[in-house]
């Protein structure tokens, strides 16, 4: 179960560069492409002629041409023509609300009447030139909530990421979880510790000494449906930690957009936004490579965990205090799902009455 009346990241603009992209999101098979004015369209990935996936076709002058017999579809989901055939009476395919913003293509998978672009989260780092962003995409065979659990409890870094961002001091600093409306915040602060390799490299990248004790922080923020932004960083010890002057620290935001594909698979858009040396493209590439490797370690663990859970449906997973962030996030998701179900029931009742 996943919320559907909400915006998910569907793809990045480079994925629809001159060609259509077929992607399943929340169980819906969708094809994305650029229409005549360059705007992104999202249509049901089903050719009205014989049911071929439209994503196997190609884009010609803003129309999507089916790769089977050449039916052309407009960005509005209507048939636009087919060589030597009359297709004007063909039914339109479902059109999904799609918005390109903040360097991502967003899709609304639920009730079209409720799709308000103002609900797309504001991302300061995506618009402000003082920030640089680098990221990637992983397909992972796991329930989206397992990834949320993973990101809302960074205790696992000590074990899963021992050679990069993990260190024993993480376990020794208990996280604190707060719920603020629909947002869940889990924070952890560590003082006077040596920076682990990833952070030592980031300090060097920012022109700072990497062999001195530091204060380190992780502030994970979950918001529905499944976005997790994590403020992370280190500052030379005694300079104010999280609040230290920028000249003493290397900090960034770990960006996680988790888009469900099915009940047990996700499109995971990961990245890192930083506000030091934003013009340094080489640093962006180095950080991106490091982060990609680290997140590959999560991928392996999560897929193995999902396989185990599927093979043992009778087993219950257990919660410790380190799991509070994930537990609270799941409660928010349950609330959103319940509200959606009530809203749908109400609409169904209204339409019967009408
Ligand atoms: S199935 Fe698409 S044109 Fe025939
Ligand atoms: Fe991880």
């Amino acid at each position: 179960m996943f919320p559907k009346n909400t915006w998910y990241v569907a793809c990045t603009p480079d994925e629809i560069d001159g060609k259509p992209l077929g992607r399943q999101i929340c169980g819906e098979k969708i094809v994305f492409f650029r229409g005549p004015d360059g705007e992104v369209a999202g249509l049901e990935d089903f050719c009205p002629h014989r049911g071929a996936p439209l994503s196997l076709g190609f884009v010609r002058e803003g129309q999507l041409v089916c790769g089977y017999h050449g039916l052309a579809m407009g960005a509005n989901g209507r048939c636009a023509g087919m060589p030597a055939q009359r297709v004007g009476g063909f039914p339109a395919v479902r059109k999904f609300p799609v918005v390109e913003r903040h360097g991502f293509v967003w899709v609304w998978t639920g009730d079209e009447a409720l799709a308000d672009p103002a609900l797309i989260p504001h991302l300061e780092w995506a618009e402000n030139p003082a920030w640089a962003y680098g990221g990637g995409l992983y397909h992972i065979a796991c329930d989206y909530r397992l990834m949320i659990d993973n990101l809302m409890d960074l205790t696992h870094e000590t074990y899963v990421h021992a050679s990069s961002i993990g260190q024993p001091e993480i376990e020794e600093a208990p996280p604190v979880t707060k719920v603020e409306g629909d947002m869940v915040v889990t924070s952890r602060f560590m003082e006077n510790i040596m920076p682990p390799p990833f952070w030592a490299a980031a300090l060097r990248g920012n022109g700072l000494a990497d062999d001195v004790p530091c204060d380190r922080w992780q502030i994970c923020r979950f918001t529905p449906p499944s976005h997790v932004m994590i403020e992370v960083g280190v500052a030379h010890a005694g300079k104010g930690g999280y609040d230290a002057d920028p000249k003493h620290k290397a900090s960034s935001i770990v960006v996680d957009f988790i888009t469900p594909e099915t009940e047990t698979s996700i499109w995971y858009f990961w990245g890192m936004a930083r506000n030091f040396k934003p013009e340094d493209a080489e640093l962006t590439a180095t950080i991106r490579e490091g982060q990609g490797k680290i997140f590959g370690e999560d991928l392996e663990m999560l897929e193995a965990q999902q396989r185990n859970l599927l093979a043992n449906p009778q087993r219950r997973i257990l919660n410790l205090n380190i799991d509070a962030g994930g537990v609270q996030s799941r409660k928010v998701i349950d609330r959103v799902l319940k509200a959606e179900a009530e809203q749908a029931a109400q609409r169904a009742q209204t339409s019967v009455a009408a």
Side-chain angles (χ1 to χ4, degrees):
M1 292 279 283
F2 14 72
K4 294 197 93 173
N5 287 329
T6 187
W7 294 102
Y8 286 102
V9 171
C11 63
T12 47
D14 57 299
E15 294 185 277
I16 47 167
D17 210 0
K19 59 180 188 332
L21 170 76
R23 179 156 289 165
Q24 190 175 356
I25 296 176
C26 293
E28 308 281 358
K29 296 213 167 134
I30 307 176
V31 55
F32 298 92
F33 68 103
R34 287 200 187 272
D37 303 323
E39 80 290 354
V40 187
L43 305 181
E44 189 184 351
D45 196 5
F46 187 96
C47 177
H49 176 221
R50 310 287 285 177
L54 290 165
S55 54
L56 297 182
F58 58 92
V59 181
R60 187 179 56 208
E61 290 164 8
Q63 293 182 339
L64 178 56
V65 181
C66 178
Y68 202 178
H69 314 99
L71 174 66
M73 301 294 296
N76 56 6
R78 295 183 190 286
C79 302
M82 186 165 169
Q85 304 295 326
R86 291 161 73 103
V87 294
F90 271 17
V93 296
R94 180 173 172 192
K95 183 178 185 303
F96 291 84
V98 171
V99 173
E100 187 171 5
R101 190 175 290 177
H102 305 318
F104 298 98
V105 174
W106 303 76
V107 66
W108 181 278
T109 51
D111 185 344
E112 189 176 352
L114 303 173
D116 178 0
L119 297 174
I120 293 174
H122 173 70
L123 306 174
E124 163 74 8
W125 49 263
E127 303 301 331
N128 186 336
W131 290 77
Y133 178 79
L137 168 63
Y138 284 153
H139 179 261
I140 308 183
C142 76
D143 184 320
Y144 71 105
R145 287 165 294 199
L146 292 184
M147 179 53 97
I148 295 171
D149 293 344
N150 170 287
L151 294 163
M152 293 300 287
D153 167 33
L154 300 179
T155 310
H156 77 269
E157 289 184 356
T158 309
Y159 298 92
V160 181
H161 312 303
S163 64
S164 53
I165 48 176
Q167 58 187 154
E169 291 89 344
I170 295 176
E171 292 174 286
E172 289 155 19
V176 174
T177 296
K178 285 185 305 186
V179 182
E180 299 167 3
D182 271 354
M183 184 190 286
V184 181
V185 187
T186 294
S187 326
R188 177 182 257 129
F189 297 91
M190 292 153 270
E191 284 177 5
N192 214 28
I193 59 168
M194 291 310 288
F198 179 89
W199 283 113
L203 285 166
R204 284 196 302 278
N206 198 19
L208 293 167
D210 65 346
D211 56 353
V212 296
C214 289
D215 298 330
R216 182 180 178 189
W217 60 91
Q218 303 166 326
I219 306 166
C220 316
R221 291 189 177 86
F222 162 88
T223 48
S226 46
H227 310 322
V228 182
M229 303 292 131
I230 312 180
E231 278 189 82
V232 287
V234 290
H236 283 172
K239 301 290 187 194
Y242 173 77
D243 296 312
D245 189 280
K247 66 175 184 275
H248 299 302
K249 66 184 175 188
S251 63
S252 55
I253 301 174
V254 177
V255 174
D256 308 279
F257 294 116
I258 306 160
T259 300
E261 177 190 45
T262 66
E263 298 287 347
T264 52
S265 57
I266 58 170
W267 299 103
Y268 177 36
F269 296 88
W270 55 265
M272 193 172 267
R274 70 174 196 282
N275 58 357
F276 59 92
K277 299 215 160 81
E279 68 296 337
D280 189 340
E282 211 173 303
L283 182 59
T284 304
T286 309
I287 291 178
R288 183 183 179 284
E289 197 192 327
Q291 194 188 7
K293 273 196 198 127
I294 294 170
F295 286 15
E297 296 168 338
D298 292 295
L299 183 156
E300 276 181 40
M301 181 59 84
L302 288 167
E303 291 197 337
Q305 181 190 15
Q306 182 68 69
R307 282 194 297 274
N308 236 2
L309 291 173
L310 285 173
N312 295 281
Q314 77 290 359
R315 302 288 277 264
R316 302 263 323 260
I317 50 174
L318 305 175
N319 295 321
L320 298 167
N321 64 349
I322 54 168
D323 299 306
V327 168
Q328 293 302 333
S329 302
R330 283 169 181 253
K331 279 192 186 158
V332 172
I333 292 171
D334 287 344
R335 272 210 307 273
V336 171
L337 288 171
K338 190 158 168 258
E340 264 190 24
E342 283 167 2
Q343 206 173 21
Q346 248 170 24
R347 284 174 79 92
Q349 229 170 27
T350 321
S351 64
V352 168

